[in-house]
């Protein structure tokens, strides 16, 4: 009997079809260079041949430590075309994190961008003797230059040697709580993710995408959809607001994906006043919600280009709040993450896996072909996360009577104070509405009377200030005394993870270090 997944194309087949369809168009641009669709196909074919000549074949596993380079993306796709699985190492990860991932992934080969990660690549090559091959993009003292080897091998047309049910990607979660988890997907799952993005994300007819965030993570999931539409990807390394403005104007960028902290930096940058953003049609944001007051500011400054995506490593994409939902006349939707994407079934469930009534809070759970198959090497956690056939996202949410979903917070971020549940997002939205507040995050800290106390960490806008007592009273007036912070700390900047999310673990750590019970 043929599995339904076997009826879907592999990721590679979609890619090779796109590269053949638009051979003379430019696929990738970067400062000082570009690569056409034909040249992209040629490079992938050459790299695939280099892997094959080293005995790396279908079923193998290739890890990559890369910056935003066209050659890096091609190195990953060449492995996929050869029927191997790939896993990207976090560009901001520690040596210990990287070595754990190589072992857990059981990597056969490692490919390193020597310009950005040469010293780390050397450390990994020395500390991971089980690797069958180490490749570098450029000369090095510890590996074989993949680009030079690809040049010598001669022209080879890329071939799709994978099956739809073969393992394709293993993406590791950030590991902010406990052991990092390897989220495993086959080609059919990844192909469905691609189809969902094309169906729901309102991409321009011919997208010109600015890859600001690392393509090793969610920004990379937009590359193949852009190429499928015959568009181009401009690769940027390192976030700089003025460079973003300059590239959007000079390259006629019409779509980009940013995390909220990047949007805030653009809004607060003096260059915005003179920036030409007239080509921009779609600004996708995700990874964490934008506070409604700053989203309103963004719509006023950038125009009606915002669209919110929601998902997680284990299931993506799950919902979308479309551009038409970002309407200044209906700001109540700014707190929503939208509706389910076309191929996704979502339910808000209680602890017994039963649906809760409209308007009541439960855990957001999902079913979709783009949900992961399992956690690598963690069957018990897999069973817990995919309980009853539903992906349990860990996000607490409610639905309104139209089906719009509202995430109130991560289940693990909920603060239990004096026996009452407080969702930090509710408090953050109130504090962020004050005109002097640029950013805010709320955490729970130990308290001898309440068990946990609500604490807000606030960054003020340049030249403005507000007292902690004023913000406490603001929350108390709008949400009641339980939600009002017991303490407010003002800082110059919030700590961020490598992907631009607020690092709540780092904020909590000093307060919980001597506690027997850890929150988060």
């Amino acid at each position: 009997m043929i599995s339904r997944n076997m009826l879907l194309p592999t990721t590679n087949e979609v890619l090779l079809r796109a590269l053949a369809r638009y051979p003379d168009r430019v696929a990738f641009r970067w400062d000082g260079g570009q690569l056409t669709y034909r040249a992209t196909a040629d490079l992938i074919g050459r790299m695939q041949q280099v892997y094959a000549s080293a005995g790396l074949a279908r079923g193998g596993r290739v890890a990559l430590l890369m910056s935003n380079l066209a050659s890096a993306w091609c190195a990953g796709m060449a492995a996929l075309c050869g029927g191997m699985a790939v896993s990207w190492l976090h560009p901001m990860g520690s040596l210990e994190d990287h070595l754990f991932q190589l072992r857990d992934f059981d990597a056969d080969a490692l490919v390193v961008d020597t310009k950005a990660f040469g010293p780390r690549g050397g450390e990994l090559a020395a500390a991971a003797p089980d690797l069958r091959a180490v490749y570098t993009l450029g000369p090095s003292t510890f590996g074989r230059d993949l680009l030079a080897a690809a040049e010598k091998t001669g022209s080879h047309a890329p071939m799709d040697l994978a099956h739809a049910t073969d393992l394709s990607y293993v993406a590791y979660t950030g590991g902010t709580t406990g052991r990092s988890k390897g989220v495993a997907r086959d080609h059919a799952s990844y192909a469905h993710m691609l189809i969902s993005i094309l169906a729901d994300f309102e991409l321009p007819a011919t997208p010109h995408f600015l890859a600001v965030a690392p393509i090793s993570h969610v920004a990379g999931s937009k590359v193949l959809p852009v190429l499928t539409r015959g568009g181009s990807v401009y690769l940027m390394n390192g976030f700089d607001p003025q460079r973003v403005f300059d590239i959007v104007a000079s390259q006629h960028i019409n779509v980009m994906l940013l995390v909220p902290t990047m949007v805030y930096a653009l809004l607060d940058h003096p260059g915005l006043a003179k920036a030409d953003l007239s080509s921009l049609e779609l600004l996708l944001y995700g990874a964490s919600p934008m506070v409604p007051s700053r989203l309103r500011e963004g719509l006023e400054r950038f125009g009606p280009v915002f669209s919110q995506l929601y998902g997680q490593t284990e299931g993506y994409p799950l919902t979308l709040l479309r551009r038409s939902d970002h309407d200044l006349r209906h700001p109540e939707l700014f707190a929503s993450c939208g509706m389910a994407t076309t191929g996704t079934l979502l339910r808000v469930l209680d602890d017994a896996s039963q649906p809760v009534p409209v308007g009541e809070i439960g855990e957001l759970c999902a079913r979709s072909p783009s949900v992961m198959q399992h956690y690598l090497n963690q069957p018990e956690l897999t069973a817990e996360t995919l309980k009853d056939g539903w992906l349990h996202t860990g996000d607490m949410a409610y639905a309104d009577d139209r089906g719009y979903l509202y995430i109130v917070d991560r289940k693990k971020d909920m603060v239990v104070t004096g026996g009452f549940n407080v969702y930090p997002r509710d408090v953050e939205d109130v504090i962020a509405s004050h005109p002097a507040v640029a950013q805010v995050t709320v955490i729970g800290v130990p308290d001898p009377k309440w068990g946990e106390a609500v604490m807000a960490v606030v960054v003020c806008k340049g030249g403005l200030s507000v007292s902690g007592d004023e913000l406490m009273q603001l929350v108390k007036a709008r949400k009641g005394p339980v939600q009002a912070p017991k303490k407010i700390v003002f800082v110059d900047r919030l700590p961020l993870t490598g992907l631009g999310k607020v690092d709540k673990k780092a904020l909590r750590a000093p307060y919980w270090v001597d506690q027997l019970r850890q929150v988060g």
Side-chain angles (χ1 to χ4, degrees):
M1 183 176 178
I2 297 177
S3 164
R4 290 192 177 198
N5 279 352
M6 295 181 69
L7 300 177
L8 285 170
T10 64
T11 315
N12 312 321
E13 186 172 347
V14 175
L15 167 69
L16 299 182
R17 190 183 304 150
L19 296 179
R21 186 181 295 128
Y22 310 107
D24 297 322
R25 294 190 185 184
V26 174
F28 295 98
R29 287 188 171 91
W30 59 91
D31 290 356
Q34 65 181 37
L35 202 65
T36 65
Y37 278 63
R38 180 183 287 109
T40 299
D42 181 65
L43 182 56
I44 290 172
R46 289 170 183 264
M47 288 178 166
Q48 186 179 358
Q49 180 62 26
V50 174
Y51 293 150
S53 66
L56 297 171
R58 180 169 171 251
R61 300 184 179 188
V62 177
L64 304 105
L65 179 57
M66 303 288 192
S67 56
N68 281 5
L69 298 174
S71 55
W73 189 81
C74 290
M77 294 309 302
L80 289 176
C81 284
M84 293 175 279
V86 302
S87 185
W88 293 73
L89 302 183
H90 197 301
M92 301 293 287
S94 67
L95 176 61
E96 182 181 353
D97 290 339
H98 287 165
L99 287 172
F100 167 80
Q101 186 169 336
L102 291 177
R103 290 191 299 267
D104 192 65
F105 180 55
D106 195 19
D108 296 299
L110 171 66
V111 189
V112 179
D113 168 10
T114 44
K115 184 176 180 180
F117 302 105
R120 174 57 55 83
E123 292 177 309
L124 293 173
D130 293 337
L131 290 170
R132 294 173 56 190
V134 177
Y135 294 101
T136 59
L137 299 183
S140 75
T141 59
F142 60 86
R144 184 184 183 192
D145 188 336
L146 181 60
L147 294 175
E151 183 66 26
K152 291 178 181 178
T153 196
S155 184
H156 290 271
M159 299 176 61
D160 180 14
L161 303 180
H163 295 173
T165 52
D166 285 344
L167 182 67
S168 62
Y169 282 90
V170 178
Y172 280 76
T173 59
T176 54
T177 55
R179 173 185 172 186
S180 187
K181 299 166 287 189
V183 176
R185 276 195 174 83
D186 62 20
H187 275 274
S189 173
Y190 198 84
H192 190 273
M193 182 194 308
L194 166 67
I195 293 168
S196 293
I197 292 170
L198 289 170
D200 289 297
F201 275 39
E202 302 179 297
L203 294 174
T206 304
H208 298 293
F209 175 58
L210 176 57
V212 181
I215 60 171
S216 55
H217 288 71
V218 69
S221 69
K222 305 300 171 292
V223 174
L224 189 47
V226 167
L227 298 182
T228 302
R229 289 275 179 91
S232 63
V233 177
Y234 197 98
L235 295 162
M236 180 177 176
N237 280 292
F239 174 67
D240 175 77
Q242 188 58 54
R243 283 291 296 140
V244 170
F245 296 145
D246 293 343
I247 293 171
V248 170
S250 65
Q251 301 297 319
H252 306 291
I253 298 298
N254 56 16
V255 57
M256 56 184 177
L257 184 153
L258 303 175
V259 297
T261 52
M262 291 177 177
V263 178
Y264 303 156
L266 295 180
L267 288 171
D268 294 337
H269 194 275
L272 177 58
K274 296 182 179 179
D276 178 8
L277 304 178
S278 58
S279 63
L280 192 62
E281 298 179 39
L282 179 64
L283 197 165
L284 293 162
Y285 66 96
S288 59
M290 281 184 67
V291 296
S293 60
R294 301 237 72 185
L295 180 54
R296 176 185 289 274
E297 183 182 353
L299 289 165
E300 291 170 345
R301 303 291 296 278
F302 287 86
V305 298
F306 284 83
S307 180
Q308 180 189 167
L309 55 88
Y310 162 74
Q312 53 185 205
T313 310
E314 292 85 346
Y316 178 87
L318 299 179
T319 74
L320 189 75
L321 189 70
R322 295 172 178 269
R323 281 178 295 183
S324 59
D325 294 322
H326 289 74
D327 188 339
L328 288 168
R329 297 169 299 179
H330 299 285
E332 66 276 6
L333 286 179
F334 293 176
S336 172
C337 65
M339 292 185 176
T341 53
T342 303
T344 301
L345 184 64
L346 293 178
R347 295 288 184 271
V348 181
L349 304 180
D350 61 20
D351 290 339
S353 295
Q354 296 301 307
V356 302
V358 169
E360 291 192 13
I361 294 173
E363 185 175 5
L364 187 58
C365 298
R367 283 178 176 167
S368 170
S370 60
V371 164
M372 70 171 185
Q373 274 67 55
H374 57 269
Y375 288 121
L376 202 65
N377 307 319
Q378 298 195 61
E380 292 182 0
L381 183 59
T382 298
E384 178 185 337
T385 305
L386 299 178
K387 180 183 175 183
D388 299 324
W390 291 94
L391 169 66
H392 287 66
T393 67
D395 287 323
M396 305 303 289
Y398 67 91
D400 67 17
D401 56 4
R402 291 192 294 168
Y404 283 91
L405 292 153
Y406 299 77
I407 297 173
V408 295
D409 235 306
R410 290 290 295 169
K411 194 173 185 178
K412 64 181 179 62
D413 286 342
M414 184 176 69
V415 180
V416 182
T417 179
F420 294 97
N421 296 340
V422 174
Y423 295 100
R425 172 76 185 274
D426 289 344
V427 182
E428 289 164 355
D429 285 351
V430 174
I431 293 176
S433 69
H434 193 284
V437 174
Q439 289 180 262
V440 58
T441 193
V442 168
I443 61 174
V445 297
D447 185 273
K449 180 178 181 181
W450 304 108
E452 286 183 78
V454 177
M455 186 179 93
V457 185
V458 175
V459 178
C460 286
K461 293 179 181 178
L464 300 177
S465 64
V466 60
S467 71
D469 184 65
E470 183 178 347
L471 293 178
M472 291 178 189
Q473 293 303 318
L474 178 65
V475 178
K476 186 175 181 179
R478 293 195 190 175
K479 304 297 294 185
V482 173
Q483 282 85 354
K486 300 293 190 295
K487 182 178 182 181
I488 293 184
V489 175
F490 293 92
V491 297
D492 292 332
R493 63 180 61 87
L494 296 174
L496 303 177
T497 67
L499 297 180
K501 298 181 183 180
V502 175
D503 191 345
K504 288 194 174 187
K505 181 182 178 183
L507 288 171
R508 290 189 189 100
Y511 299 94
W512 291 94
V513 65
D514 296 323
Q515 300 295 312
L516 294 176
R517 182 177 69 88
Q518 299 293 305
V519 171

